[in-house]
């Protein structure tokens, strides 16, 4: 298996230095002269390379070289490991992942994928070369293959970005008993899982943009005797630009260990063609069924034409897929502990509508694959709702995505769960708020008490999950009048579960993107909190200096604010308020008689100090604290970063001041 380029050059340098140290050139010249002299004494014949190597070996030169050549391994002290890495030339990657050595299992087969650089990213053709130390936009490449996820180092955006990275992907079979066997060529041909490549651009203010989402079929390597191949991958844009090339990556694939018996290219192309035909036929039959089902639905009531019944949705690559295929049962392992913590995690992924070029107020249709949504770290309400539903299904709840409208007839999606007692709970995926639904009975007497609507949702057109699709065929689609009795066919028209399974079940078609596992955070909450707090303190001091005000910090008061921030996050993640009696008592003790205390907490989804401080100053309450004038003014600030999977984080910031009241 080939080494990464930087390791190969390092190895060459070590060997070169060692050969110079032992004057290898002088010794070679001596042996060459002796060999030529000996050869002249015998019959004249040309001196071959084998003769010369034999002479070097005979005189023990090769043994001396190998005996004295030592490879030392750098041993990092605890201090070195704890110290922050040196910043790169043009940017600082704040999410440094310590690389770990991998022990290769000789009984397993691996695919070594190398990205050897990018070119033709024409959007960055006019981008100037960043100066040393200058913060610039970066590209980061993410990979997913058969439950394994990887991330490249960020590199500066350019027309020819220096994306050079190697990824070792393990090829294994699913199921018990087969995992330990080394897969052969025929078995690998049946593994139709692609390598999902997602390219993300991060700008100078830490805002992320999805550049491309590409599915790479790696099986062409099965026909090559040496198990190596290199080719160019054309990455297409996303959304409205899905037909426009975004750039080209040069990719190298190597199979380790190489195959003893390779397959012919005809067998591989035939297999791929059969998979495409089978997928196309299943999708064609489902489309015919969906059209017939829709005609039947319209025959029930002509007004159904205007209901929000969403059967298909476009993904980031412009492919139309049944909405049920966007929901899968997803388990979070030990990364998330409860359904409410799941809702908190999903709400921490930022909300952003798909970008639209031009005006008109139209909404761009784009439901992202789970991998693209997680890598980008933000998406529309549909992305949040489908991810939340998938995770709640993983926790054993009977969860569905609802498609409808909220206030001002704005299209919206949210999640519904049904309890075993028939209770209905709405989950807002953008905020993690939960609402208990109680339907109004339109046939009740006028004076009978009716429940008040608690949720912000106005109408619901359909609900779905990974194996169920139900359209609302009640006389009114108003949420407050809706009865979520899914077994009642006069209220809900269901699609055939068999038809849905044919195109939405995992492995049913090769066009379905594989479901990635969640990744643990790489953020150190304590270090991130300290860093952000220092930056905020500096910005406050500079702001007050501009106002000709001195800044005196009260470290004890700053420390006391921690308990309040912890209580706020606990309430958001569990829905249970634990009270702030201890915090209030501690503040009363810390603020002397005759002094006034003011505090201002605020919540963010990012760790950009300047953006956060600018947002805080827009609040008159916060500005009053930061710009506080008076006698014996003491300021306090506390930052708490709570880390969640996928490097999502809840950032709580609290400003406070105490000063002597002067009447």
């Amino acid at each position: 298996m080939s080494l990464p380029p930087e390791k190969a050059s390092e190895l060459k340098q070590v060997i070169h230095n060692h050969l110079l140290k032992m004057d290898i050139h002088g010794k070679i010249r001596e042996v060459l002269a002796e060999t030529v002299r000996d050869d002249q004494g015998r019959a004249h014949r040309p001196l071959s390379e084998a003769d010369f190597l034999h002479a070097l070996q005979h005189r023990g030169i090769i043994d001396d070289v190998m005996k004295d050549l030592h490879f030392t391994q750098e041993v990092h002290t605890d201090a070195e490991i704890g110290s922050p890495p040196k910043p790169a030339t043009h940017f600082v990657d704040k999410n440094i992942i310590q690389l770990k050595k991998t022990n290769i299992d000789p009984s397993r087969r691996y695919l070594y994928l190398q990205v050897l650089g990018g070119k033709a990213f024409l959007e960055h053709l006019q981008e100037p070369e960043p100066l040393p130390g200058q913060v610039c936009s970066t590209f980061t490449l993410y990979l997913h293959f058969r439950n394994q996820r990887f991330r490249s180092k960020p590199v500066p955006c350019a027309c020819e970005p220096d994306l050079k990275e190697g990824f070792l992907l393990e090829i294994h079979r699913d199921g018990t008993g087969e995992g330990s066997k080394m897969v052969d060529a025929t078995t690998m041909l049946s593994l139709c899982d692609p390598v999902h490549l997602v390219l993300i651009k991060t700008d100078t203010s830490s805002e992320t943009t999805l550049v491309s989402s590409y599915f790479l079929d790696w099986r062409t390597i099965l026909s090559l005797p040496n198990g190596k191949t290199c080719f160019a991958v054309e990455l297409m844009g996303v959304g409205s630009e899905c037909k426009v090339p975004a750039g080209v990556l040069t990719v190298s694939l190597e199979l380790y260990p190489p195959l003893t018996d390779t397959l012919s290219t005809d067998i591989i192309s035939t297999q791929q063609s059969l998979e495409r035909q089978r997928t196309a036929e299943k999708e064609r039959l489902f489309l015919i069924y969906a059209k017939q089902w829709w005609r039947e639905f319209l025959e029930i009531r002509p007004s159904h034409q205007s209901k929000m019944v969403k059967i298909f949705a476009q993904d980031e690559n412009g492919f139309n897929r049944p909405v049920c295929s966007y929901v899968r049962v997803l388990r979070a392992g030990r990364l998330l502990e409860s359904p409410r913590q799941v809702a908190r995690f999903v709400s921490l992924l930022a909300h952003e509508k798909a970008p639209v070029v031009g005006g008109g107020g139209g909404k761009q249709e784009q439901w992202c694959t789970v991998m693209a949504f997680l890598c980008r770290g933000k998406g529309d309400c549909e992305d949040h709702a489908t991810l939340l539903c998938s995770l709640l299904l993983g926790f054993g709840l009977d969860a569905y995505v609802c498609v409808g409208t909220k206030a001002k007839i704005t299209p919206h999606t949210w999640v519904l769960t049904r309890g075993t007692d028939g209770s209905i709970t709405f989950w807002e995926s953008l905020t993690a708020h939960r609402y208990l639904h109680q339907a109004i009975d339109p046939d009740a007497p006028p004076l009978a008490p009716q429940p008040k609507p608690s949720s912000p949702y106005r109408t619901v057109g359909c609900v779905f999950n990974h194996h169920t699709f139900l359209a609302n065929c009640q006389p009114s689609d108003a949420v407050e009048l809706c009865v979520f009795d899914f077994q009642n066919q006069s209220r809900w028209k269901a699609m055939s579960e068999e038809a849905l399974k044919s195109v939405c079940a995992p492995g049913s078609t090769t066009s379905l993107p594989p479901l990635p596992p969640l990744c643990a955070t790489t953020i150190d909450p304590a270090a991130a909190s300290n860093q952000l707090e220092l930056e905020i303190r500096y910005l406050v001091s500079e702001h007050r200096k501009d106002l000709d005000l001195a800044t005196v910090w009260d470290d004890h008061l700053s420390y006391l604010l921690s308990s309040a921030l912890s209580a706020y996050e606990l309430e958001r993640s569990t829905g249970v308020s634990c009270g702030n009696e201890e915090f209030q008592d501690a503040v009363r003790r810390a603020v002397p008689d005759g002094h006034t205390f003011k505090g201002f907490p605020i919540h963010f989804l990012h760790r950009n100090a300047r953006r956060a401080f600018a947002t805080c100053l827009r609040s008159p309450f916060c500005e009053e604290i930061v710009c506080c004038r008076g006698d014996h003014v003491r300021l306090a600030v506390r930052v708490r970063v709570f880390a969640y999977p996928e490097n999502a984080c809840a950032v709580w910031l609290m400003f406070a001041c105490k000063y002597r009241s002067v009447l």
Side-chain angles (χ1 to χ4, degrees):
M1 192 178 70
S2 61
L3 284 169
E6 64 274 8
K7 286 291 178 190
S9 59
E10 185 183 325
L11 184 61
K12 287 177 185 174
Q13 190 62 45
V14 170
I15 295 171
H16 178 69
N17 292 342
H18 176 66
L19 295 177
L20 285 178
K21 185 178 174 184
M22 64 180 297
D23 189 25
I24 192 68
H25 295 101
K27 292 183 178 180
I28 288 174
R29 275 193 292 270
E30 288 173 17
V31 173
L32 185 58
E34 287 178 26
T35 309
V36 170
R37 265 200 313 272
D38 292 348
D39 192 56
Q40 285 174 349
R42 304 183 218 128
H44 287 286
R45 64 179 180 85
L47 188 65
S48 68
E49 185 181 335
D51 294 332
F52 183 57
L53 285 172
H54 179 71
L56 283 174
Q57 197 168 7
H58 182 67
R59 285 164 180 76
I61 303 293
I62 293 176
D63 290 339
D64 289 344
V65 170
M66 298 309 294
K67 183 173 64 180
D68 297 334
L69 185 60
H70 298 293
F71 297 100
T72 56
Q73 186 179 5
E74 290 182 23
V75 180
H76 296 281
T77 62
D78 292 342
E80 284 177 318
I81 292 171
S83 63
K86 292 180 182 177
T89 314
H90 304 309
F91 62 92
V92 179
D93 179 18
K94 293 183 179 176
N95 297 324
I96 298 294
I97 300 173
Q98 294 291 335
L99 295 179
K100 296 176 183 175
K101 289 191 175 180
T102 304
N103 292 323
I104 294 178
D105 185 347
S107 66
R108 291 289 181 100
R109 205 176 287 283
Y110 296 87
L111 180 68
Y112 186 50
L113 185 149
Q114 276 185 293
V115 180
L116 304 175
K119 56 187 176 183
F121 285 84
L122 300 180
E123 193 174 323
H124 303 278
L125 189 61
Q126 303 298 326
E127 200 147 311
E129 185 73 22
L131 299 169
Q134 178 187 352
V135 178
C136 67
S137 299
T138 60
F139 281 139
T140 309
L141 185 67
Y142 295 83
L143 268 80
H144 169 231
F145 177 67
R146 294 181 67 76
N147 239 28
Q148 304 159 73
R149 285 181 60 186
F150 301 89
R151 164 181 172 267
S152 75
K153 295 189 295 289
V155 300
C157 292
C159 182
E160 297 188 356
D162 190 30
L163 272 166
K164 292 180 180 174
E165 203 83 44
F167 308 95
L168 191 66
L169 315 175
E170 186 180 330
I171 304 173
H172 56 83
R173 283 199 58 167
D174 299 325
T176 56
E178 294 290 335
S180 59
K181 291 182 182 178
M182 183 181 286
V183 285
D184 56 13
T186 310
T187 307
M188 284 192 284
L189 184 61
S190 68
L191 302 178
C192 55
D193 302 60
V195 179
H196 192 181
L197 305 172
V198 174
L199 186 63
I200 299 291
K201 176 186 173 182
T202 309
D203 67 15
T204 51
S205 60
S206 304
E207 288 292 329
T208 55
T209 308
L210 178 61
V211 178
S212 184
S213 173
Y214 183 84
F215 295 95
L216 172 68
D217 193 332
W218 52 276
R219 291 175 292 177
T220 51
I221 201 171
L222 301 178
S223 65
L224 304 172
N226 61 353
K228 291 183 184 179
T229 183
C230 187
F231 51 91
V233 169
E234 185 179 41
L235 301 179
M236 305 304 283
V238 294
S240 57
E241 299 175 23
C242 63
K243 306 295 183 194
V244 182
V248 176
L249 290 181
T250 305
V251 173
S252 161
L253 293 178
E254 182 179 351
L255 204 58
Y256 179 82
L259 289 169
T260 50
D261 298 319
T262 57
L263 302 173
S264 73
T265 52
D266 290 342
I267 291 175
I268 295 171
S269 58
T270 303
Q271 173 70 16
Q272 292 169 333
S273 176
L274 282 171
E275 288 171 357
R276 284 192 295 269
Q277 288 171 14
R278 197 179 300 125
T279 296
E281 180 62 14
K282 285 183 176 181
E283 289 173 347
R284 186 185 69 82
L285 291 173
F286 180 76
L287 181 59
I288 292 170
Y289 168 75
K291 285 180 176 179
Q292 176 63 31
W293 180 91
W294 177 245
R295 280 195 294 271
E296 291 171 2
F297 181 65
L298 294 181
E299 286 170 4
I300 297 172
R301 208 173 276 114
S303 61
H304 285 177
Q305 182 73 49
S306 60
K307 284 195 175 183
M308 298 272 297
V309 179
K310 187 88 176 154
I311 303 172
F312 295 94
Q314 274 191 3
D315 65 11
E316 68 266 23
N317 290 323
F319 294 130
N320 262 321
R321 295 198 281 121
V323 290
C324 294
S325 68
Y326 289 87
V327 177
R328 310 272 276 276
V329 178
L330 179 58
R331 294 182 178 86
R334 297 190 182 276
L335 300 179
L336 296 166
E337 302 293 340
S338 68
R340 294 193 187 188
Q341 198 177 26
V342 158
R344 176 61 173 155
F345 157 65
V346 174
S347 72
L348 293 174
L349 300 169
H351 175 226
E352 182 179 274
K353 295 184 184 297
V356 180
V357 179
K363 183 177 182 289
Q364 173 67 33
E365 166 85 348
Q366 184 178 309
W367 291 35
C368 280
T369 57
V370 175
M371 179 68 178
F373 178 39
L374 293 176
C375 294
R376 187 178 169 217
K378 59 184 178 184
D380 211 338
C381 58
E382 294 89 359
D383 305 323
H384 287 78
T386 51
L387 178 61
L388 176 58
C389 184
S390 298
L391 287 163
L392 292 179
L393 286 168
F395 270 103
L397 299 185
D398 188 19
Y400 302 81
V401 175
C402 299
V403 179
T405 61
K406 56 179 183 179
K408 299 181 182 176
I409 321 299
T410 310
H412 191 63
T413 56
W414 66 97
V415 176
L416 166 154
T417 54
R418 295 195 310 160
T420 51
D421 58 353
S423 61
I424 302 295
T425 306
F426 294 145
W427 302 64
E428 177 48 64
S429 58
L430 301 179
T431 61
H433 290 162
R434 299 163 70 250
Y435 307 96
L436 190 64
H437 171 70
Q438 289 178 307
I440 293 173
D441 183 4
D443 301 325
L447 297 177
Q450 296 276 22
K452 290 184 179 179
S454 60
S455 74
Y457 314 120
R458 295 291 172 264
T459 65
V460 56
C462 65
V463 300
F464 65 89
N465 60 18
H466 59 307
H467 58 61
T468 305
F469 186 93
L470 298 145
N472 185 0
C473 52
Q474 297 171 62
S476 170
D477 59 0
V479 169
E480 57 189 25
L481 300 173
C482 193
V483 177
F484 292 91
D485 177 11
F486 295 152
Q487 278 68 45
N488 189 332
Q489 295 181 9
S490 64
R491 297 182 189 273
W492 296 93
K493 180 171 174 58
M495 269 195 175
S496 159
E497 287 198 10
E498 284 301 314
L500 289 169
K501 192 185 292 184
S502 70
V503 288
C504 297
S508 58
T509 65
T510 53
S511 62
L512 279 184
L515 186 70
L518 292 185
C519 280
T521 184
T522 59
I523 298 170
D524 180 348
S529 302
N530 285 337
Q531 178 65 27
L532 190 52
E533 190 171 308
L534 288 172
E535 292 173 11
I536 293 290
R537 279 197 177 202
Y538 171 77
L539 292 172
V540 170
S541 300
E542 289 298 302
H543 185 73
R544 287 177 63 85
K545 193 187 290 183
D546 293 341
L547 300 173
D548 294 325
L549 295 172
T551 305
V552 182
W553 294 102
D554 187 330
D555 291 334
H556 177 61
L557 185 58
S558 295
Y559 178 70
L560 297 184
L561 303 178
S562 285
S563 62
L565 300 183
S566 180
Y568 298 151
E569 180 58 26
L570 190 65
E571 184 177 352
R572 290 284 182 99
S573 61
T574 63
V576 178
S577 177
C578 59
N580 261 348
E581 297 83 3
E582 297 87 354
F583 167 66
Q584 292 165 8
D585 187 60
V587 168
R588 288 192 189 98
R589 290 175 179 278
V591 178
D593 290 341
H595 283 63
T596 299
F597 170 83
K598 291 180 179 178
F600 175 78
I602 190 168
H603 174 252
F604 295 101
L605 304 183
H606 62 82
R607 292 176 291 137
N608 188 308
R610 290 190 179 276
R611 271 173 65 195
F613 188 59
T615 305
C616 292
L617 287 180
R618 293 194 198 109
S619 165
F621 301 107
C622 181
E623 190 184 23
E624 190 180 319
I625 293 171
V626 171
C627 306
C628 182
R629 297 169 184 266
D631 184 25
H632 208 70
V633 175
R634 295 291 181 269
L635 293 173
V637 66
R638 192 66 169 174
V639 175
R640 283 292 306 274
V641 174
F642 297 88
Y644 284 82
E646 300 296 331
N647 283 353
C649 55
V651 178
W652 284 96
L653 176 62
M654 189 167 186
F655 292 98
C657 69
K658 63 177 183 179
Y659 58 92
R660 181 177 291 152
S661 305
V662 179
L663 297 174

